[in-house]
């Protein structure tokens, strides 16, 4: 990871590795060109993966299967161009003009590739797709998202080290809440505590999902995406899901409950104990070569203890919110085909154990690396039901 130019950037060797993997898959699919689309907050990671630039509005990356001519990155908005040029590793970064898709069409024609097979990556808006079809009527468009996803699921050493830094920011945020969360402050104050713990260190917020509710009369079973002016009271439970990053798209993730001003009630303590046991059982199952079917078998423990889940149970993370994304069999609207975990995938195990009426719940977990023999935690903060504001 190179930070000498102020903006963090993966090494040339890392990008060479990525380009080789992507171009090998392109050649296997008989695709001389990819058009990669990205827009924030969650659909820019493929553009970043190949350019280092996390698009702020929208971007099209024209990516050939050979080094020459070089890829071209078209980005919006006009006043974002210089920053994109500073961050991107690509020498050819341009403003996308009044219509980014039209600029992309013109570039494809200049390359002499307007009549061949072209791979598409990213969630391309319908109006842009129509522009591509109209501007390149003799091209054959091929969905390349599945191949790109498979390449990105397994992380390199450099990617894992960047995720470790993101995990450290999550640990710092959890420690800050342990020190400062107390009766009398608001949920807005909790957000300020979280972000203040890592902003000065170059960290940026990915998510800070937070919910508070009385333990003796609960109405929230999982962390909430948006916070309120609610004032914390003695006897509350605070549910958290925190992710921050140093490099866009590469956060850690940590989930812990907090008891405010009092120890956890017996009911909450039992739910927490079940959640931790579920986390430990899942951690003991997942390793390189393990199947998602084994994970689903293990997850039945939660239902056997009289609870259900509200959030996803296990998912991949790093360069996006990635599959395999698992719930339990009883809570899945549709089961995905079995998937085999591979070494150096980065995942979050996050049991959100809740009552059937979804009024009460706890959530525990954090990010881990899949190894040949099991999983390695990328966080250092211990697993515990945190008590604060005593």
């Amino acid at each position: 990871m190179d930070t000498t130019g102020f903006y963090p950037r993966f090494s040339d060797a890392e990008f060479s590795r990525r380009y080789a993997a992507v171009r090998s898959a392109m050649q296997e699919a008989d695709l001389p060109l990819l058009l990669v689309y990205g827009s924030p907050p969650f659909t820019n990671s493929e553009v970043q993966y190949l350019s280092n630039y996390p698009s702020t509005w929208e971007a099209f990356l024209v990516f050939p299967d050979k080094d020459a001519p070089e890829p071209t990155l078209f980005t919006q908005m006009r006043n974002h161009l210089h920053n994109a040029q500073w961050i991107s590793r690509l020498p050819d970064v341009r403003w996308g003009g009044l219509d980014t898709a039209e600029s992309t069409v013109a570039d494809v024609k200049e390359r002499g590739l307007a009549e061949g097979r072209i791979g598409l990556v990213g969630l391309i808006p319908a109006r842009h797709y129509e522009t591509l079809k109209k501007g390149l009527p003799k091209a054959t468009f091929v969905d390349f998202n599945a191949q790109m996803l498979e390449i990105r699921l397994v992380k390199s050493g450099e990617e894992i080290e960047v995720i470790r830094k993101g995990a450290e920011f999550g640990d710092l945020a959890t420690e800050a809440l342990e020190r400062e969360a107390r009766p009398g402050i608001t949920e807005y104050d909790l957000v300020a505590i979280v972000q203040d713990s890592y902003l000065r260190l170059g960290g940026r917020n990915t998510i800070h999902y937070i919910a508070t509710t009385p333990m003796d009369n609960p109405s929230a079973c999982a962390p909430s995406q948006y916070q309120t002016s609610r004032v914390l009271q003695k006897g509350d439970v605070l549910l958290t899901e925190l992710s921050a990053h140093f490099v866009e798209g590469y956060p850690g993730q940590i989930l812990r409950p907090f008891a405010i001003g009092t120890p956890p009630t017996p009911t909450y303590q039992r739910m927490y104990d079940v959640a931790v046991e579920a986390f430990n059982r899942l951690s003991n199952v997942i390793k390189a070569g393990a199947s998602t079917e084994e994970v689903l078998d293990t997850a039945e423990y939660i239902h056997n203890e009289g609870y259900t889940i509200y959030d996803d149970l296990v998912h991949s993370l790093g360069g996006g919110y990635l599959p395999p994304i698992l719930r339990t069999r009883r809570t899945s609207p549709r089961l995905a085909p079995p998937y085999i975990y591979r070494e150096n995938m980065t995942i979050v195990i996050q049991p959100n154990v809740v009552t059937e009426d979804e009024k009460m719940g706890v959530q525990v977990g954090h990010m881990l690396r899949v190894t040949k023999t099991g999983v390695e935690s990328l966080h250092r903060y211990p697993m515990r039901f945190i008590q604060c504001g005593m």
Side-chain angles (χ1 to χ4, degrees):
M1 174 59 59
D2 179 14
T3 59
T4 58
F6 297 109
Y7 291 105
R9 179 183 296 179
F10 289 103
S11 70
D12 288 342
E14 169 65 11
F15 277 105
S16 293
R17 181 196 68 82
R18 296 178 182 186
Y19 286 13
V22 172
R23 284 172 170 159
S24 175
M26 290 171 67
Q27 290 163 10
E28 185 175 336
D30 188 23
L31 294 172
L33 190 69
L34 295 182
L35 301 182
V36 186
Y37 179 82
S39 64
F42 298 118
T43 59
N44 64 348
S45 52
E46 292 86 2
V47 169
Q48 181 185 359
Y49 188 75
L50 295 172
S51 73
N52 201 65
Y53 177 62
S55 52
T56 53
W57 191 256
E58 71 170 10
F60 256 118
L61 173 63
V62 182
F63 187 81
D65 68 345
K66 299 180 179 63
D67 288 333
E70 294 177 336
T72 300
L73 177 62
F74 292 101
T75 187
Q76 293 287 355
M77 299 170 69
R78 180 66 178 84
N79 59 311
H80 296 193
L81 177 59
H82 283 171
N83 203 207
Q85 292 169 334
W86 296 334
I87 296 174
S88 174
R89 75 177 301 273
L90 302 175
D92 189 4
V93 181
R94 313 176 196 173
W95 176 46
L98 298 179
D99 188 311
T100 316
E102 287 183 357
S103 298
T104 300
V105 167
D107 187 80
V108 173
K109 290 179 177 178
E110 289 174 10
R111 293 170 183 269
L113 297 173
E115 299 183 8
R117 288 166 58 85
I118 298 175
L120 300 180
V121 178
L123 300 179
I124 300 175
R127 64 183 178 86
H128 284 341
Y129 182 62
E130 291 301 320
T131 298
L132 296 177
K133 289 201 301 179
K134 182 179 179 180
L136 303 168
K138 295 185 178 181
T140 300
F141 294 110
V142 178
D143 187 344
F144 194 72
N145 283 287
Q147 294 95 320
M148 181 67 81
L149 178 62
E150 277 300 305
I151 292 168
R152 294 175 57 241
L153 278 175
V154 175
K155 303 299 186 291
S156 69
E158 283 192 37
E159 288 177 298
I160 290 170
E161 288 310 305
V162 170
I163 291 171
R164 288 185 194 278
K165 193 171 183 68
E168 174 63 18
F169 291 148
D171 293 336
L172 291 174
T174 305
E175 290 170 348
L177 286 175
E178 182 177 8
R179 289 192 307 270
E180 301 181 44
R182 62 189 184 277
I185 66 173
T186 69
E187 290 183 359
Y188 295 147
D189 292 320
L190 296 175
V191 170
I193 291 168
V194 166
Q195 294 209 38
D196 187 59
S197 69
Y198 50 70
L199 288 179
R200 293 181 179 86
L201 302 174
R204 295 185 62 190
N205 177 62
T206 304
I207 59 171
H208 45 56
Y209 295 171
I210 290 171
T212 62
T213 191
M215 284 189 282
D216 61 1
N217 186 28
S219 60
C221 67
S224 299
Q225 291 71 52
Y226 295 98
Q227 284 68 63
T228 73
S229 59
R230 182 181 182 274
V231 177
L232 275 66
Q233 306 292 325
K234 184 177 181 180
D236 279 353
V237 65
L238 162 62
L239 308 176
T240 64
E241 180 177 5
L242 307 176
S243 288
H245 59 262
F246 180 66
V247 174
E248 187 84 30
Y250 290 92
Q253 189 165 111
I254 184 167
L255 307 97
R256 296 288 189 272
F258 298 72
I260 306 298
T262 63
T265 64
T267 307
Y268 268 93
Q269 185 65 53
R270 179 175 185 272
M271 293 187 74
Y272 171 80
D273 292 341
V274 169
V276 172
E277 178 65 18
F279 177 90
N280 290 335
R281 292 187 180 203
L282 293 166
S283 298
N284 289 332
V285 164
I286 297 176
K287 61 182 177 182
S291 168
T292 53
E293 292 300 300
E294 298 174 71
V295 174
L296 294 175
D297 290 343
T298 303
E300 284 299 304
Y301 164 76
I302 295 171
H303 296 290
N304 294 338
E305 291 297 311
Y307 299 109
T308 186
I309 65 169
Y310 186 73
D311 197 357
D312 295 329
L313 184 68
V314 183
H315 63 84
S316 297
L317 186 68
Y321 191 91
L322 304 172
I325 301 171
L326 303 178
R327 299 178 63 82
T328 64
R329 289 194 179 95
R330 304 189 204 186
T331 59
S332 296
R334 180 176 61 189
L335 289 173
Y339 187 89
I340 302 299
Y341 287 97
R342 291 180 283 165
E343 186 179 9
N344 288 333
M345 292 177 66
T346 48
I347 65 171
V348 178
I349 300 177
Q350 52 172 42
N352 177 211
V353 175
V354 307
T355 54
E356 290 286 350
D357 61 9
E358 298 179 354
K359 290 184 177 180
M360 175 184 180
V362 298
Q363 192 160 22
V364 305
H366 48 254
M367 197 163 189
L368 308 110
R369 178 178 72 92
V370 178
T371 73
K372 292 180 180 179
T373 58
V375 289
E376 173 204 1
S377 176
L378 299 180
H379 288 263
R380 58 171 174 75
Y381 192 90
M383 181 71 77
R384 63 170 179 253
F385 203 137
I386 304 161
Q387 299 182 40
C388 54
M390 305 294 283

